[in-house]
């Protein structure tokens, strides 16, 4: 781990010396970060012992082995006041030594993340980094952190800031570039801006990920609302920069097993960061098994395709309808190993879900496909032209990986499938009808 980190740091260091701040930020974080964030389970009730205990659980439960290799602090780690020389200070009782914390996390095999704010204060009222960007970035570097989440609370008055939203965040990007030049350390930088100012249009110029919506809550209503927001901006996501749908609430609140599976699937397949926000001391084996679905994690971490899945049909609503209760239901996208489909049943009762294969732009006409179910982990035969998922549970999900499996049988009628039928034409110009 240390060797790897030194190597990455060295490579990025060489890279950064000759490039702009934007390129530096784009030089890290090719794939979505996976790990833990302490906010949703513990809010301000955090301390070093709890964080290290959480890291132990991540190791013990095999979460580190399947890729969850970040442990990130969120708000409330600091003293309320800076030092006389303006340094931010970690809470002397709860976080007596940040260096000790990051050393121990690194020794366990994790990267360590910290949190600050682009305004005067964090959302919980601790010191923000506005006008202290470089000083704080140096402090975080000297404490051994690798990742920085940067929030949007306590925005300074217009006549002080005299910047747009991109300028406000870029102040820290510039500071991190200075740190990289001085020390060779590069942070993974994660914007938390809640989608106020179309962050999906500019986030990629400066960060690994950007929050697109309000804080998640552990209820189905919150999940569908976030999925609805994501459905319209999937094009923003690719390797090195992506929509962040907020933390994983698997095992929290009133989410059922089927709802938790839908939650994990949607977050993983839109290539969002996968940051667990559950108390691992009390999580059930059933919920843990959702977080550890390696076939779905493999799609989130696809080294070839960084793009998100996208809806090809909204389903209950006409296409492109904004509906926070019934978001788009039929999604697909390319992956290293085939075309992936996600079908979400937003109804409160089971439903059959049908699609023509060529509704997905990633499917080839005239080819049949083998079908693998990424939740049952079974091969489910061959799909010719269409597929129906029977009895998808209420608020449940089906994930299928389709691989080319030779030509479809000869002589199938009609000669064109799906939408192509309305333009289906023989070489001599005869229209099929
Ligand atoms: C905001 C963010 C949350 C969390 C809290 C901490 O609400 O959106 O994710 O970081 O601040 O105060």
């Amino acid at each position: 781990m240390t060797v790897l980190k030194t190597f990455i740091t060295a490579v990025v260091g060489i890279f950064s010396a000759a490039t702009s701040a934007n390129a530096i930020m784009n030089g890290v974080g090719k794939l979505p970060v996976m790990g833990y964030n302490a906010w949703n389970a513990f809010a301000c009730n955090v301390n070093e012992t709890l964080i290290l205990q959480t890291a132990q659980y991540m190791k013990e439960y095999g979460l580190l082995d399947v890729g969850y290799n970040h442990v990130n602090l969120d708000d409330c780690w600091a003293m309320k006041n800076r030092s006389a020389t303006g340094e931010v200070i970690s809470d002397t009782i709860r976080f007596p030594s940040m260096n000790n914390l990051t050393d121990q996390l690194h020794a366990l095999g994790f990267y360590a993340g910290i949190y600050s704010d682009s305004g005067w204060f964090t959302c919980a009222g601790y010191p923000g980094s506005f006008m202290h960007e470089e000083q704080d970035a140096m402090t975080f570097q000297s404490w051994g952190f690798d990742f920085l989440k940067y929030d949007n609370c306590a925005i300074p008055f217009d006549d002080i800031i005299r910047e747009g939203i991109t300028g406000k965040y870029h102040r820290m990007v510039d500071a991190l570039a200075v740190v990289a030049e001085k020390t060779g350390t590069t942070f993974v930088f994660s914007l938390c801006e809640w989608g106020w100012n179309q962050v999906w249009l500019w986030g990629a110029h400066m960060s690994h990920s950007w929050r697109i919506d309000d804080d998640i809550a552990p209820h189905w209503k919150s999940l569908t609302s976030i999925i609805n927001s994501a459905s319209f901006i999937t094009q923003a996501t690719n390797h090195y920069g992506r929509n962040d749908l907020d933390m994983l609430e698997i095992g929290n609140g009133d989410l059922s097993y089927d709802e938790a599976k839908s939650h994990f699937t949607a977050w993983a397949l839109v290539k969002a960061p996968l940051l667990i926000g559950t108390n691992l001391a009390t999580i059930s084996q059933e919920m843990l098994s959702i977080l550890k679905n390696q076939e779905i994690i493999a799609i989130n971490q696809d080294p070839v395709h960084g793009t998100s899945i996208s809806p090809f049909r909204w389903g209950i609503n006409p296409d492109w309808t904004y509906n926070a209760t019934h978001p788009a239901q039929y999604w697909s996208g390319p992956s290293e190993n085939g075309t992936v489909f996600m079908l979400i049943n937003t109804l409160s009762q089971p439903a059959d879900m049908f699609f023509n294969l060529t509704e997905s732009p990633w499917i080839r006409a005239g080819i049949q496909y083998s079908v693998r179910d990424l939740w049952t982990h079974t091969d489910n035969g061959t799909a010719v032209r269409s597929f129906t998922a029977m009895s998808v549970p209420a608020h449940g999900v089906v994930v299928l990986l389709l691989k080319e499996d030779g030509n479809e049988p000869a002589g199938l009628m009609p000669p064109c499938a799906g939408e192509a039928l309305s333009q289906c034409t023989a070489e001599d110009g005869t229209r099929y009808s």
Side-chain angles (χ1 to χ4, degrees), residues 14-29:
I14 293 163
F15 181 63
S16 65
T19 52
S20 72
N22 288 350
I24 290 167
M25 298 323 300
N26 282 335
V28 293

Side-chain angles (χ1 to χ4, degrees), residues 18 47 266 321 356:
N47 57 54
T321 305
N356 287 308

